Amino acid sequence: MAAQKDNETEWKRIQTKTFTRWCNEHLKVQHIEIEDLSTAFCDGVKLIILLEVLSGKSIGKYNKVPKRPVQKMENVSKALEFIMKAEKIKLVNIGTGDIVTPNLKLILGLVWTLILHYQISHGFQIDGSNSPRHGGHSGHSAKQALLDYIRDKLPNKTIKNLTTDWNDGILIASLVDAHAPGLCTEAEAMDPENALENASLAMTLAQDWLGIAQDMVNPKVDELSMMTYLSQFLDAKLKPGAPLKPRVDPTNVVVYGPGVEENGFEGVPEKAVFTVDITGAGSGAVSAHCTGPNGPVTVDIEDNHDQTYTCTYIPQGPGVHTINVQFNSKPVKDSPFKVNISAGFDASKVKVTGPGLLGGCVREPLNLIIDSGGAGQGSMNIVIDGPEATTTTDTLDDGTNSLVIVASEVGECSVQVEYGGQPVPGSPFLIPVCDPSRVRVLGAGAKGEGVILGELAEVLVDMTDSGVGLLEVGVTLPNGKLETLKMTPADQPNVLKGSYRPSAPGVYKVNVQLAKAHVLSSRVHVAQRVHISGSKVAYVDVDNIIDVHAADGDMGAEFQFKGRPGLKGVDCNFERKSADHKIVHYTPHHVGTLLVTVQCSYTALQHEVRCLDPSKVAVSEGICSAIAEMQQTFVVDTSLAGPGKVDIQITDPTGRPLHAYVVDSEDASGVYSVTYTPPAITTPLSAPPICKVEISFEGKAIQNSPFEVQVSSPGNVKGYGTGLEKAIAMEPISFTVDASQAGDGALNLTIEGPEECNIDCKANGDHIYCVSYVPPLAGTYSVNIKFADVHIPGSPFLVACSRAPPDASKCHAVMEADNQAIMVDAKNAGGTGALEVGVWGAQVPARYVTVEHNGDYTFNVSYEIPEPGETEISIKWHGQHIKGSPFKVVTE
C-alpha cells in the first residue's frame, strides 16, 4: 500500500508541474501566472480568465474580486456551467465544492479535460467528449491521433507508447528535428545512456525556437503529461533566426568499386580501389578502415572535390579483407564490406565429367558436371556450337556446377569451357546427338529368321539417318547371361555389324540401344535338336538315370563325366533304346557336383548333377533330450553329405508343430544350428512327454529320423519335508522328492554345509524318492535338488541345523603324555559349549588353568601344578561330569 501511495504522489507531482506550465503558457497573454494549481482556481477568477483565453469567448459578468465564500462559489459555478453548456464539454465527478475546497486530483482531471478539448482534439478535429480517468489514460481517439501524428513525423522510429519510449530524450530530439529540419541534427548520434542531456538539449531547442514550453525528463512520467507536452508540436511555428544545420544521412552514401565487391579479384592485385559518393548525404567526414587476414591495412582516401572520394589499399594476400566505411563516424549503408581475394586460378585443375560427354538423344538432357574445386577463383565461360539447343546452369550443394544441354536436332555439339579466360582440359568437348527412332536394325540374328543352333547369327545396325552415338547391342542367352556383341564397321557407311552363335536351344533376347535409349527388343527362338532330361540330384552308391533324345534320329553322341575338384569315380553304362533315344545309367561314389557332357556332331549339351549322400548327415548328441520351456539347440552337419538343402520339422508331445530357427554357419559350409523351445508339460501325465524331430536332406530322411526327444520338466518336480526346513546335528532327517509329473530325467542331490553329509536316496516307485541325511555339525546346510541338471522350484533349500541337547557322556577326553594338558572333544555331545574345569589338591593346586576353544567344539585344557602330590581335575559339560572326570594327576 505504501508503494502504491508513493506512485500516486509521484504522478500527481508530475502532472501538477506539467498542467501548471500549460495553464501559465495560455494565461501569460493576460499577464497572469499560477503558482499553486491546487488553490489557483478556488475563487473562480483565474479559471474564468483561462476559459475566456482558450475559447476566445466572454463568459459574462462575474465577481472579479470575490471576498465572501458565496461569491467564490458563484464564480466557480459560472465557469463549470460555461464548460458544460456553452462549450459542450462533458465533466465527470467534479463539482463547485471540489474546486473551492480544493481537491487536487479532480482539479488535475478538469485541466486535462481542457487540454484534451482545446489543444489535442482541436488539433486533430476530434470530438473531445472523451474524458480521462484521473491518473490514467485518455480517450482512445485523441491518444491514437497523437501517436499517428508522431509516427508520420518519425517513420523510421519504433514508437509503442507515450511514456517510457521517451525517457532517453532521443525521440523528443528526433521530433524537434523532424518538425524543424536541421534544428536538432544531433538526434541521430545521441547515446541513450545520456537521457537527461539529450532531453535537455531537445526541450531547450523546442522552447527557444518552436515556443514549446520546456518540461522535465522523468522515468515515471505519466501518459497525460507526455500528451500535454507533445501536443504543443501541433501548432508550433519555427521562429526566425533559428540555428538550422544541414542534415547528415549516412544511409545515402554510396560505396562502389572492385575494392569492396565480395568477389572483386581473381588473384592478389597490386592495389584495390573503391569510390565513396556522399552526394545527397550532406556534408561530413569520410573515413575508411581495412582489416586483412594478418591485421590492419592502411586505406588512402583522396577527395575528388565533387562529393566523391577515391579510396585505395594494398591487399595483404589471399583471404578476406573487411572494409569499414563511415560518414560522420556512422557506418554507411552495407558497411562493413567483405572482400574475398583469391590466390589466383589454374584452369588445368577444372574437371568436366558426366554422362552427357558420351552423347545423348534429341530432346533429352545431356548432363555435365564442372568441378572447379582446387582451381582457385576464376570466372566460368561456356560457349556451345552445333545443333540448336537450350542450356541450363546451376550451382550444386557441393560447390560444383551443373550444365544441362537439350538439343532439338541431330548433330555434334561443341562445348567450349573456359576458366579465367583459359580453356579447361578437354575443351572443346564434341558431344554427338542422335535420334534413336531413326535407327534401322537388320540381320537374321535380330529378326529371328533361320537362326540355327551352333551357327553364327548376324545383327546389322544402320545409323545413316539417326546420327552417331554410343551403340550397345546385347544378347540375353536362355540361361539368363548377357552377351555383349562387338560391333565393327560393315561394307556400307554408317552401318555396324556383330554376331553371336547359339549354343543351346531356347529364346535369345536381342536388345539394341543408342545413347542409352531403346531401339529394338526382339526374341529369337532357337530349336533344340538334342534333349537331355533327368534329375538334377543323384545319390551316392545308387543307380541314377539320364535320358538323351535326338530330334533327327542321328545321335552321334559321346558322353563325358567330369566332376568338380575332389569328386572321384563314377560307374556308368549306356542303354540304347532306339536311334534317337539313349539311357545313361551312372553311379557316383562320392559327394560333389557332376557335369555330364553329351557331345554331338554339331553341339555339346551339359547336364549338371549334385551328388549327395544323406547317410553322411551328422546330428549332435543333444538332440535326444530337452527341458520344457527352455531354449534347446542342436547341430545338423551336412558338410560331408554334399551340396544340398536340409529340412527340419519338430512337433510337440501332442503332435502340434513347433517353430524351429535354422541358421547356417557364417562360411555357409552346411553346418546348421537349430533352436526350438518345447512347451510346458501338461499334468497329470498320461504318457512320457516326447517331441519328434524329423530331418530330411534334399527330400530324403536322414539316418535315425525321426528322432524322439525326451522332454523333462524340472518345474514340475516338488521337494517337501522337514529335511528341507530344519535339522538337529547328528540326528537323521529326511524329505521327499516327487518327480512323477516331470517326465524322464536324472535326479541329482548334493548337500553343502559345515561338514560333508552322507545322503541316502530311495526310490518309492512312480518317480517319488525318499531322501535322508545326518548333519554332523550345527550350521546352515544348502540342499541342492536338480532334475535333468536344472534346479527344481525352491532349490537350493537352506536348512538351519541346531545342536542336540547336551549329553556329557558323549564328550571324550584325552590326557597328554606329560600330564600337563587334556584335549576334550564335545562335537557329538550337544549343547552350546559350556565347559567347566576345576582343580583340587595341594596347598597350591595349580599355578594356572587355561581352556582354549578350537571353534569346532573341541577344547584344549592346559594347566601347571607347582607342588608334588595328587591333584584332581574336574571337567563338566553343561554341569555334568564328562566321562573319566574327575581326573587324578600325581606330581612327583
Side-chain angles (χ1 to χ4, degrees), residues 22-42:
W22 181 82
C23 291
N24 287 334
E25 188 67 21
H26 291 281
L27 288 172
K28 67 182 179 181
V29 297
Q30 297 292 336
H31 307 290
I32 297 174
E33 183 177 355
I34 292 174
E35 293 183 0
D36 184 355
L37 187 62
S38 65
T39 60
F41 299 149
C42 64

Side-chain angles (χ1 to χ4, degrees), residues 664-854:
D664 197 354
S665 57
E666 292 184 0
D667 57 359
S669 60
V671 179
Y672 300 88
S673 173
V674 184
T675 303
Y676 72 101
T677 302
I681 294 177
T682 303
T683 58
L685 289 178
S686 58
I690 296 175
C691 288
K692 288 188 178 181
V693 179
E694 299 181 47
I695 304 176
S696 60
F697 185 63
E698 282 293 341
K700 283 200 172 186
I702 69 170
Q703 189 174 1
N704 297 325
S705 179
F707 297 86
E708 291 191 350
V709 182
Q710 301 288 338
V711 182
S712 303
S713 181
N716 289 352
V717 178
K718 298 178 181 179
Y720 55 90
T722 307
L724 297 179
E725 299 169 358
K726 59 183 179 179
I728 297 176
M730 297 304 299
E731 294 187 5
I733 193 78
S734 64
F735 61 88
T736 301
V737 179
D738 183 353
S740 61
Q741 303 298 316
D744 288 337
L747 180 67
N748 179 265
L749 302 168
T750 59
I751 299 178
E752 301 170 353
E755 194 163 311
E756 183 179 356
C757 295
N758 293 323
I759 304 173
D760 182 25
C761 179
K762 295 181 180 180
N764 298 333
D766 294 331
H767 298 284
I768 297 177
Y769 305 87
C770 179
V771 183
S772 61
Y773 65 98
V774 179
L777 295 176
T780 300
Y781 289 82
S782 177
V783 180
N784 299 288
I785 306 176
K786 291 184 178 181
F787 188 76
D789 206 31
V790 177
H791 280 283
I792 72 170
S795 178
F797 298 88
L798 298 180
V799 180
C801 178
S802 59
R803 289 175 60 80
D807 184 353
S809 66
K810 293 183 179 180
C811 287
H812 301 282
V814 177
M815 184 172 292
E816 299 292 333
D818 59 359
N819 292 334
Q820 296 295 313
I822 300 174
M823 194 279 289
V824 179
D825 183 353
K827 289 181 181 178
N828 301 322
T832 56
L835 187 72
E836 304 169 20
V837 179
V839 181
W840 293 268
Q843 183 177 357
V844 181
R847 181 170 289 137
Y848 66 85
V849 177
T850 63
V851 179
E852 181 182 0
H853 186 197
N854 297 323

Side-chain angles (χ1 to χ4, degrees), residues 151-305:
R151 287 167 179 161
D152 288 342
K153 283 287 186 180
L154 305 175
N156 296 324
K157 299 291 184 180
T158 300
I159 304 169
K160 299 180 180 177
N161 56 54
L162 292 170
T163 52
T164 55
D165 282 355
W166 300 80
N167 285 345
D168 60 13
I170 295 177
L171 283 180
I172 296 176
S174 300
L175 184 59
V176 170
D177 195 59
H179 198 80
L183 184 59
C184 190
T185 58
E186 296 86 352
E188 289 297 327
M190 283 182 172
D191 185 350
E193 296 297 325
N194 301 327
L196 183 59
E197 180 182 333
N198 299 340
S200 297
L201 174 62
M203 289 183 170
T204 299
L205 290 171
Q207 178 173 281
D208 293 346
W209 301 106
L210 295 175
I212 296 174
Q214 185 173 348
D215 214 323
M216 54 179 262
V217 174
N218 189 307
K220 297 182 180 180
V221 64
D222 70 296
E223 191 171 78
L224 305 188
S225 298
M226 278 305 301
M227 288 180 67
T228 301
Y229 176 76
L230 295 174
S231 64
Q232 297 179 76
F233 282 88
L234 295 175
D235 300 319
K237 298 292 188 293
L238 183 65
K239 297 178 182 180
L244 300 180
K245 298 181 287 292
R247 275 192 173 180
V248 176
D249 188 356
T251 61
N252 289 336
V253 176
V254 179
V255 183
Y256 59 92
V260 291
E261 294 178 1
E262 183 178 359
N263 296 309
F265 301 99
E266 295 176 355
V268 181
E270 294 183 1
K271 61 181 180 179
V273 181
F274 62 91
T275 300
V276 179
D277 186 348
I278 65 171
T279 303
S283 60
V286 173
S287 62
H289 304 278
C290 174
T291 302
N294 302 322
V297 178
T298 301
V299 180
D300 294 326
I301 302 175
E302 180 181 354
D303 188 352
N304 299 324
H305 302 292

Side-chain angles (χ1 to χ4, degrees), residues 223-470:
E223 191 171 78
L224 305 188
S225 298
M226 278 305 301
M227 288 180 67
T228 301
Y229 176 76
L230 295 174
S231 64
Q232 297 179 76
F233 282 88
L234 295 175
D235 300 319
K237 298 292 188 293
L238 183 65
K239 297 178 182 180
L244 300 180
K245 298 181 287 292
R247 275 192 173 180
V248 176
D249 188 356
T251 61
N252 289 336
V253 176
V254 179
V255 183
Y256 59 92
V260 291
E261 294 178 1
E262 183 178 359
N263 296 309
F265 301 99
E266 295 176 355
V268 181
E270 294 183 1
K271 61 181 180 179
V273 181
F274 62 91
T275 300
V276 179
D277 186 348
I278 65 171
T279 303
S283 60
V286 173
S287 62
H289 304 278
C290 174
T291 302
N294 302 322
V297 178
T298 301
V299 180
D300 294 326
I301 302 175
E302 180 181 354
D303 188 352
N304 299 324
H305 302 292
D306 59 355
Q307 292 193 305
T308 64
Y309 295 81
T310 299
C311 303
T312 306
Y313 65 94
I314 299 175
Q316 291 178 337
V320 175
H321 288 63
T322 302
I323 315 297
N324 287 281
V325 181
Q326 293 185 331
F327 183 63
N328 275 355
S329 301
K330 290 291 184 180
V332 304
K333 184 180 179 181
D334 298 329
S335 179
F337 302 89
K338 301 286 186 179
V339 182
N340 185 23
I341 298 177
S342 69
F345 64 90
D346 184 355
S348 66
K349 293 184 178 180
V350 178
K351 300 177 182 178
V352 181
T353 59
L357 291 176
L358 299 177
C361 305
V362 293
R363 296 176 295 279
E364 294 291 334
L366 302 173
N367 295 298
L368 281 72
I369 299 295
I370 304 174
D371 185 358
S372 59
Q377 294 291 332
S379 59
M380 186 82 68
N381 186 40
I382 302 171
V383 179
I384 300 176
D385 294 323
E388 183 177 348
T390 59
T391 60
T392 304
T393 59
D394 194 10
T395 301
L396 304 180
D397 292 340
D398 60 0
T400 60
N401 296 291
S402 70
L403 171 62
V404 181
I405 304 171
V406 180
S408 58
E409 299 176 354
V410 172
E412 186 176 66
C413 285
S414 173
V415 181
Q416 298 179 344
V417 181
E418 293 183 347
Y419 194 71
Q422 300 295 323
V424 305
S427 180
F429 301 92
L430 303 179
I431 302 176
V433 179
C434 59
D435 187 349
S437 65
R438 299 165 69 179
V439 175
R440 297 174 63 226
V441 183
L442 308 170
K447 300 298 183 181
E449 300 170 352
V451 177
I452 300 175
L453 189 68
E455 297 181 3
L456 285 177
E458 189 174 59
V459 178
L460 298 173
V461 179
D462 185 353
M463 296 182 289
T464 303
D465 299 326
S466 65
V468 298
L470 177 63

